[in-house]
């Protein structure tokens, strides 16, 4: 196999394998994911095979990184017979370390010397190459032994090639270790590789792939076939994130049975040879999806790249992951250490039986020389210990071992934790529950943790209930919050259930000192969104973003971006809303804040729907629903339905819109625990009226009457809904009263839709003179904020009143080169899908471009593109 652009690296590998004079007989390849380290390692192994050199080693696995000497077991498993050739002391040492004989663990030097002695014995029968992939995942005790061996290869017939992730800024390179950084391909090599793998790409597509791949071979291979989900990532998302998201998109297209089996395999250290549950056809499906590949393992298959494993694990819901760990814990009953880690990952609620089993295995690990790993295991055992005193005792034991292993700062931290658990166990539980909720969106685990401890984490329970939208959960939370001493939790509880008062929220925000904790600021600003108070506290939102984005509380900075996006959307500042949501999404992706990331994806889907970009709205909703449904996240599912409903309405599909709106709030029922239900009133009633469901519309409008006093914008919605079901004469008066409410133009999108409804009513009443000013004002408002589809509707109504709507002048146009190409192809009659295939874009991206192009050209339809483009000169293109 030819490897393009790696002559220097291949030469270095051959010199190490050949033990060329003056060249260290070891080489450690390091570089970014996908840069080609594994390919080079396999090339080195193949070259060694051609020279008749025996290869030992293996691969590091994240699932085994906590198992003391798991890597050493891989190294020696094929040559166990050589233990009989070394001195009895060395033989006894290794057998105890590998778990083949009982007894205390020897010191690390004895283990290292014994390991070298065995390898030297193997080399007496012929030269040996030690090859290790993903060396960064090799367990720490084995790494220490391997470092000892790497510095002592020369006197024996040994050489070594390791591959690992990039060095960090703080890592120190040991003298005598040959570190070779594998960088990106140069432009010429990258172009050759792309042309070999994906010939005949159109020049603009080829340039785009090369620019985005930046010389990364895996990216060059994968980007031309990644899923559209990648395009929903923020512009600043790392290449690793983009590739991982692409693999995840392919995974989600597979049947659940295959996904489940691949998840178990990924968590079990890539052991596809142990997974006989899939039929040959199912394995072929996974191979066709580019997730597994053929090689020389017993099954003939392995995951195509470590990023595939991480994509599989990240895509699974927390419950699915715990179930897979439970399966593995059962499968590994004969291996106490491996079983220990799978049990730890499978258990959420405090469980003394599980904690005791982990504790026992941790003590065994420490006796084998894995003190540092035992510390981590004892920490997890403490997490699962119900009794505060026993929990503190396990933390103190972990601190003792940490001190012994030289981790003095960690030892002190563990002692501090032990004291806190004795002093305030409820607070420690609340912190754990919050992490579960924010990082993985695991609402069920967070609730279960707190449910058994009265008074623990009332604020976390309120926030979890607001996402779950489960009436039974809200009833439990109400019982827990009633009478608690957390005023903020009580306030948010009342606001989220529609019982709060704007005056109380305003009073709480106004009373905040300048240096108030960011968590309190974020929580109160979230309450302010329910009361339409957010515009008055923009300085607080800006403070969250500016003060916490860097090294501060990034969780609250991400909330700040969501609040800013929400505020900008309602104010009609849609470009600012999009920028804020994308910046917040980038922050969440970098810090694994899945819950808040999906808050922001809901905001971006809302923007797309309001603009009339139905394809983008559907893609965001698909992403959100795939994540939210397994987690029981009712809020995100409601917001996804809202976005799909609004997109359908923008294009006049009221039957679909009605189905989506009623999935949020049934006709005549406005559930207090469903956050968006009050805000769906106007749209649900309009969808019902438009589809002939008059009774349902009237019932729902009547049920909404009590909501009008809750918030100013909600009053506008309720009055407009009541106008839609009133007799025509009364309806006109109700619409005008709604539009006359104070400061309604603060919300241009809402205001414009109410004006559009009034104008449509007047036109149907055959009063064109009274309809025209309403429709003209609505069209102008829609145009001003970029609601292109709604602008088209308003202008179509204007034409029906006899007004000739002319193209809006826009001399500058401001089209980008890509937008101009999209416009020209659309003008030629190609569909979005055909344009996407030609330009290597998804149909969603094409649609998004068109909805930005129309306002710039001053048009409202594809039919007008040809004429509009005649006025576009090269100078008018950005």
């Amino acid at each position: 196999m030819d490897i393009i652009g790696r002559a220097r690296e291949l030469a270095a590998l051959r010199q190490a394998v050949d033990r060329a004079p003056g060249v260290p007989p070891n080489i450690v390849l390091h570089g970014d994911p996908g840069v080609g380290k594994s390919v080079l390692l396999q090339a080195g192994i193949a070259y060694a095979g051609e020279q008749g050199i025996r290869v030992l080693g293996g691969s590091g696995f994240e699932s085994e990184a906590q198992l003391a000497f798991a890597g050493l077991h891989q190294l020696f498993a094929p040559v166990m017979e050589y233990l009989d050739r070394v001195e009895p002391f060395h033989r006894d040492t290794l057998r105890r370390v590998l778990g083949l004989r009982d007894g205390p663990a020897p010191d690390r030097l004895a283990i290292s010397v014994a390991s070298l002695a065995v390898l030297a014995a193997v080399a007496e029968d012929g030269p040996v190459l030690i090859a290790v992939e993903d060396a960064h995942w090799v367990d720490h005790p084995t790494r220490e032994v391997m470092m000892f061996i790497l510095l002592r290869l020369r006197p024996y017939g040994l050489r070594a090639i390791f591959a690992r992730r990039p060095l960090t800024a703080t890592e120190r390179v040991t003298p005598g270790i040959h570190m070779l950084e594998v960088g990106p391909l140069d432009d010429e090599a990258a172009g050759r590789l792309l042309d070999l793998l994906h010939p005949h790409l159109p020049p603009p597509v080829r340039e785009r792939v090369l620019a985005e791949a930046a010389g990364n071979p895996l990216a060059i291979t994968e980007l031309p076939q990644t899923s559209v989900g990648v395009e929903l990532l923020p512009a600043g998302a790392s290449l690793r994130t983009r590739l991982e998201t692409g693999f995840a998109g392919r995974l989600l297209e597979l049947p659940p049975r295959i996904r489940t089996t691949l998840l178990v395999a990924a968590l079990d250290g890539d052991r596809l040879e142990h997974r006989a549950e899939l039929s040959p056809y199912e394995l072929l499906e996974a191979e066709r999806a580019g997730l597994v590949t053929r090689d020389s393992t017993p099954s003939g298959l392995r995951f195509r790249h470590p990023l595939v494993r991480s994509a599989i694990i990240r895509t699974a819901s927390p419950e699915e992951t715990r179930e897979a760990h439970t399966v593995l814990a059962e499968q590994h009953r004969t291996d106490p250490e491996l079983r220990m880690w799978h049990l730890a990952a499978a258990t959420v609620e405090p469980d003394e039986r599980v904690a005791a089993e982990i504790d026992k295995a941790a003590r065994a690990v420490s006796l084998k020389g894995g003190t540092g790993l035992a510390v981590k295991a004892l920490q997890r055992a403490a997490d699962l210990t119900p009794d505060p005193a026993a929990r503190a005792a396990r933390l103190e034991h972990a601190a003792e071992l940490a001190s012994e292993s030289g981790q003095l700062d960690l030892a002190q931290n563990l002692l501090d934790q032990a004291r806190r658990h004795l002093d305030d166990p409820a607070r420690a539980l609340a912190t754990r529950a919050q992490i579960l909720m924010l990082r993985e969106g695991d609402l069920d685990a967070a609730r279960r943790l707190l449910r058994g401890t009265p008074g623990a984490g009332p604020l976390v329970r309120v926030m979890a209930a607001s996402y779950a939208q489960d009436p039974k959960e809200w009833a439990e939370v109400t019982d827990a919050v009633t009478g608690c001493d957390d005023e903020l939790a009580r306030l948010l509880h009342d606001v989220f259930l529609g019982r709060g008062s704007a005056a109380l929220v305003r009073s709480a925000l106004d009373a905040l000192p300048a240096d108030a904790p960011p968590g309190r600021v974020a929580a109160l600003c979230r309450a302010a969104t329910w009361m339409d108070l957010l515009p008055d506290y923009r300085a607080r939102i800006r403070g969250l973003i500016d003060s916490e984005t860097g090294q501060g509380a990034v969780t609250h900075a991400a909330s700040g971006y969501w609040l800013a996006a929400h505020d900008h959307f309602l104010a009609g500042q849609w470009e600012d809303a999009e920028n804020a949501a994308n910046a917040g999404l980038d922050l969440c992706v970098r810090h694994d804040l899945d819950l808040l990331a999906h808050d922001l994806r809901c905001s971006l889907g809302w923007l797309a729907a309001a603009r009339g970009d139905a394809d983008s709205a559907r893609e965001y909703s698909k992403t959100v629903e795939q994540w939210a449904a397994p987690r029981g996240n009712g809020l995100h599912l409601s917001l996804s339905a809202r976005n799909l409903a609004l997109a359908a309405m923008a294009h006049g599909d009221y039957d679909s819109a009605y189905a989506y709106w009623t999935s949020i709030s049934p006709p005549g029922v406005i559930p207090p625990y469903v956050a968006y239900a009050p805000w769906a009133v106007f749209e649900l009633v309009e969808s019902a009226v438009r589809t002939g469901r008059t009774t349902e519309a009237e019932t729902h409008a009547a049920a909404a009457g009590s909501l009008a006093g809750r918030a100013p914008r909600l009053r506008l919605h309720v009055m407009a809904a009541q106008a839609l079901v009133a007799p025509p004469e009364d309806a006109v008066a109700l619409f005008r009263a709604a539009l006359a409410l104070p400061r309604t133009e603060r919300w241009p999108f809402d205001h414009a839709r109410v004006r559009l409804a009034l104008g449509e009513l007047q036109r149907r009443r055959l009063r064109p003179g009274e309809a025209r000013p309403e429709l003209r004002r609505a069209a102008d408002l829609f145009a001003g904020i970029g609601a292109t589809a709604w602008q088209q509707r308003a202008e179509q109504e204007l034409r029906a009143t006899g007004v000739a709507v002319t193209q809006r002048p826009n001399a500058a146009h401001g089209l980008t080169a890509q937008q101009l190409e999209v416009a020209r192809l659309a003008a030629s009659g190609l569909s979005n899908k055909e344009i996407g295939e030609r330009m290597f874009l998804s149909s969603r991206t094409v649609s998004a471009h068109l909805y930005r192009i129309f306002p710039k050209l001053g048009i409202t339809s594809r039919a007008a593109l040809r004429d509009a483009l005649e006025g576009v000169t090269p100078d008018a293109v950005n």
Side-chain angles (χ1 to χ4, degrees):
M1 178 182 67
D2 291 333
I3 300 177
I4 295 173
R6 295 300 187 197
R8 177 181 71 94
E9 291 86 351
L10 289 169
L13 287 170
R14 291 181 183 125
Q15 286 181 331
V17 171
D18 292 337
R19 291 171 53 110
V23 176
N26 65 68
I27 187 166
V28 179
L29 306 168
H30 67 102
D32 292 328
V35 81
K37 304 182 296 296
S38 297
V39 171
L40 288 168
L41 178 68
Q42 293 303 316
I45 291 171
Y47 179 72
E50 293 168 5
Q51 312 307 310
I53 296 172
R54 183 173 195 165
V55 180
L56 299 176
S59 179
F61 298 113
E62 186 175 1
S63 59
E64 293 189 350
Q66 311 295 339
L67 297 178
F69 297 111
L72 213 58
H73 190 277
Q74 275 195 69
L75 180 65
F76 289 128
V79 291
M80 293 298 287
E81 67 272 16
Y82 283 87
L83 268 64
D84 293 330
R85 295 196 189 182
V86 299
E87 295 294 327
F89 174 77
H90 294 327
R91 182 166 61 246
D92 180 67
T93 294
L94 282 180
R95 283 180 172 166
R96 277 186 282 155
V97 166
L98 297 175
L100 302 175
R101 175 175 295 173
D102 291 336
D107 63 46
R108 202 58 52 84
L109 178 61
I111 299 169
S112 300
V113 172
S115 298
L116 182 59
V118 172
L119 290 171
V122 177
E124 288 175 0
D125 288 349
V128 174
L129 169 66
I130 305 168
V132 180
E133 188 171 5
D134 284 340
H136 52 279
W137 287 124
V138 171
D139 62 280
H140 188 73
T142 297
R143 271 187 276 164
E144 290 185 349
V145 173
M146 286 185 169
M147 186 63 67
F148 178 91
I149 293 170
L150 284 178
L151 296 173
R152 293 164 177 82
L153 298 171
R154 195 170 290 281
Y156 313 99
L158 300 170
R159 64 275 292 146
I161 305 173
F162 285 15
R164 52 154 292 168
R165 64 186 172 194
L167 288 170
T168 64
T170 58
E171 279 188 273
R172 184 177 65 86
V173 177
T174 302
I177 304 298
H178 179 198
M179 304 295 296
L180 178 62
E181 182 176 7
V182 183
L185 296 173
D186 60 35
D187 292 346
E188 187 272 334
R192 279 199 293 137
L193 179 61
L194 180 61
D195 293 340
L196 177 68
L197 297 173
H198 303 285
H200 313 306
L201 287 178
V205 175
R206 184 178 184 275
E207 291 174 13
R208 177 184 166 206
V209 171
L210 289 173
E212 290 191 1
N216 185 291
L218 182 64
I220 291 170
T221 305
E222 297 297 332
L223 283 179
Q225 51 197 7
T226 49
S227 69
V228 293
V230 173
E231 297 177 7
L232 300 183
L233 291 169
S238 69
L239 185 60
R240 176 193 176 99
T241 300
R242 293 173 65 80
L243 290 170
E244 198 174 73
T245 303
F247 287 132
R250 297 182 210 169
L251 178 75
L252 292 171
E253 295 172 359
L254 294 175
R257 171 181 158 80
I258 299 178
R259 294 205 307 269
T260 299
T261 303
L262 292 179
L263 174 62
V264 173
L267 293 171
D268 199 22
D270 204 4
R271 293 186 178 87
L272 283 174
E273 60 267 29
H274 298 322
R275 304 274 74 82
E277 293 88 345
L278 296 182
S279 68
Y281 174 76
E282 289 171 323
L283 285 171
L284 183 60
E285 275 197 81
E287 188 178 2
R288 284 173 177 165
L291 301 174
V292 300
T293 187
R294 304 275 172 179
D295 76 348
S296 58
T297 59
S299 70
L301 292 166
R302 66 178 288 119
F303 286 122
R304 187 141 179 261
H305 189 273
L307 288 181
V308 174
R309 275 205 310 272
S310 59
I312 289 169
I313 294 168
R314 286 176 62 87
T315 304
S317 73
E319 189 60 35
E320 290 169 335
T321 303
R322 285 195 293 273
E323 288 174 0
H325 278 296
T326 301
V327 169
L328 290 169
E330 199 60 32
Q331 287 182 0
H332 292 297
R333 273 195 169 277
T334 58
D335 187 335
E337 288 181 45
L338 199 51
R339 173 174 164 78
M340 168 185 75
W341 293 112
H342 287 303
L343 265 183
T347 310
V348 172
E349 297 175 86
D351 186 323
E352 177 56 33
R353 181 187 59 81
V354 174
E357 188 170 348
I358 295 172
D359 187 329
K360 180 180 177 181
R363 292 170 191 270
V365 168
S366 69
L367 292 176
K368 284 177 54 179
T371 302
L373 301 179
V375 171
K376 295 181 180 179
L378 284 168
Q379 284 180 271
R380 185 62 181 139
D383 287 342
L384 298 175
T385 303
D387 178 61
R391 189 182 308 145
R394 283 175 173 142
L395 285 170
E396 287 167 354
H397 185 203
E400 181 182 345
L401 294 180
S403 178
E404 290 175 6
S405 60
Q407 304 174 75
L408 300 183
D409 289 342
L410 175 59
Q412 183 58 56
N413 180 264
L414 291 169
L415 289 173
D416 292 342
Q417 285 185 47
R419 281 193 291 272
R420 281 200 299 274
H421 278 293
L422 285 174
D423 296 340
D424 191 0
R427 182 177 179 185
L429 271 180
T431 301
R432 279 191 57 215
Q434 186 171 28
I435 291 169
L436 281 168
M437 188 170 70
L438 290 172
R439 179 162 291 169
E440 301 172 5
D442 198 345
L443 305 178
D444 182 57
R447 293 197 302 261
R448 281 156 52 191
L449 265 183
L450 297 174
R451 193 173 284 148
T453 306
L459 183 58
V460 179
R461 291 197 67 177
V462 168
M463 295 304 296
S466 74
Y467 280 101
Q469 296 192 160
D470 181 340
K472 293 181 179 177
E473 175 64 19
W474 267 120
E476 286 187 23
V477 171
T478 298
D479 291 341
V481 168
T482 302
C484 80
D485 57 2
D486 189 334
E487 293 181 7
L488 180 59
R490 294 202 307 271
L491 177 63
L492 289 179
H493 169 272
D494 291 348
V495 167
F496 292 160
L497 285 181
R499 306 171 188 169
S501 131
L504 286 176
V505 175
R506 185 182 294 280
S507 176
L509 277 163
D510 290 344
L512 286 175
D515 59 349
R520 190 173 185 83
V521 175
L524 284 172
C525 284
R526 190 173 280 259
T529 64
W530 263 252
M531 299 295 178
D532 287 330
L533 300 175
L534 213 51
D536 298 333
Y537 298 97
R538 287 171 177 158
R540 287 288 190 184
I541 299 172
R542 175 51 53 190
L544 283 174
I545 294 172
D546 292 345
S547 302
E548 308 301 335
T549 296
Q551 298 300 313
V554 292
T555 298
H556 303 312
S559 293
Y561 280 115
W562 176 82
L563 291 162
H566 186 91
D567 182 45
H568 287 311
F569 177 91
L570 295 182
Q573 300 157 351
W574 286 4
E575 291 296 329
D576 291 337
E578 188 170 25
N579 291 338
N582 275 320
L585 181 55
D586 186 29
L587 188 69
C588 291
V589 167
R590 282 189 278 118
H591 291 277
D592 293 328
L593 299 172
D594 276 5
L595 185 77
L596 298 176
H598 284 83
D599 279 351
L600 289 154
R601 289 189 177 100
C602 288
S603 295
L604 288 165
W606 196 18
L607 272 164
R611 284 169 166 157
D613 183 358
D615 288 343
S616 296
R618 280 192 289 270
E619 286 299 334
Y620 280 115
S621 288
K622 178 182 176 182
T623 302
V624 168
E625 288 168 5
Q626 286 171 340
W627 182 87
R631 290 163 172 79
N633 191 315
L635 175 60
H636 285 152
L637 293 174
S638 293
L639 295 178
S640 172
R642 170 201 66 186
N643 297 344
L644 293 170
L646 189 59
M649 288 182 71
H651 294 280
D653 182 4
Y654 284 96
D655 274 311
S656 295
Y658 180 79
Y660 288 127
W661 289 124
T662 53
S663 73
I664 298 171
S665 180
V669 180
I670 303 173
Y673 52 86
V674 178
Y676 201 77
W679 304 100
V681 167
F682 175 43
E683 289 89 350
L684 191 156
V685 170
E686 184 177 10
S687 300
V689 168
R690 294 270 191 167
T691 56
R693 297 176 170 93
T694 306
T695 302
E696 290 88 340
E698 292 172 346
T699 303
H700 205 67
S706 61
L707 301 174
R710 189 181 298 181
R713 191 168 69 92
L714 194 52
R715 185 178 301 116
L716 173 67
H717 281 226
V718 171
M719 291 179 69
Q722 291 170 338
L724 286 170
V725 297
E729 288 297 334
D730 295 340
V732 170
L734 279 169
F735 272 128
R736 286 178 174 161
L739 292 167
L741 291 170
R743 302 172 66 192
T744 58
E745 295 210 14
R746 285 181 298 176
W747 313 298
F749 185 53
D750 302 78
H751 182 100
R753 283 186 297 135
V754 176
R755 282 207 180 273
L756 174 61
L758 174 56
E760 289 171 333
L761 172 64
Q762 294 287 43
R763 188 186 67 77
R764 289 195 302 273
R765 295 178 67 218
L766 304 178
R767 304 209 174 180
E770 296 179 30
R772 287 172 192 142
E774 308 297 346
L775 296 171
R776 170 56 66 193
R777 180 61 181 146
D780 289 344
L781 285 170
F782 288 136
I785 60 177
T788 310
W790 292 90
Q791 176 192 340
Q792 292 174 2
R793 280 186 49 186
E795 292 182 345
Q796 184 178 353
E797 288 287 330
L798 265 176
R799 292 188 188 94
T801 67
V803 174
V805 180
T806 59
Q807 178 176 311
R808 296 170 184 267
N810 190 336
H813 296 299
L815 298 183
T816 65
Q818 190 175 68
Q819 286 175 339
L820 180 60
E821 184 65 16
V822 168
R824 285 175 173 161
L825 291 173
S828 72
L830 294 182
S831 68
N832 286 5
K833 182 178 179 182
E834 291 167 333
I835 296 169
E837 289 171 351
R838 185 167 296 194
M839 294 189 66
F840 187 57
L841 300 170
S842 72
S843 58
R844 179 200 69 79
T845 302
V846 173
S847 177
H849 277 318
L850 288 172
Y851 279 109
R852 287 163 179 75
I853 289 167
F854 288 171
K856 290 182 179 181
L857 295 178
I859 61 175
T860 60
S861 69
R862 295 170 83 107
L865 271 171
R866 186 185 299 274
D867 293 339
L869 288 174
E870 290 179 359
V872 178
T873 65
D875 294 338
V877 178
N878 289 336

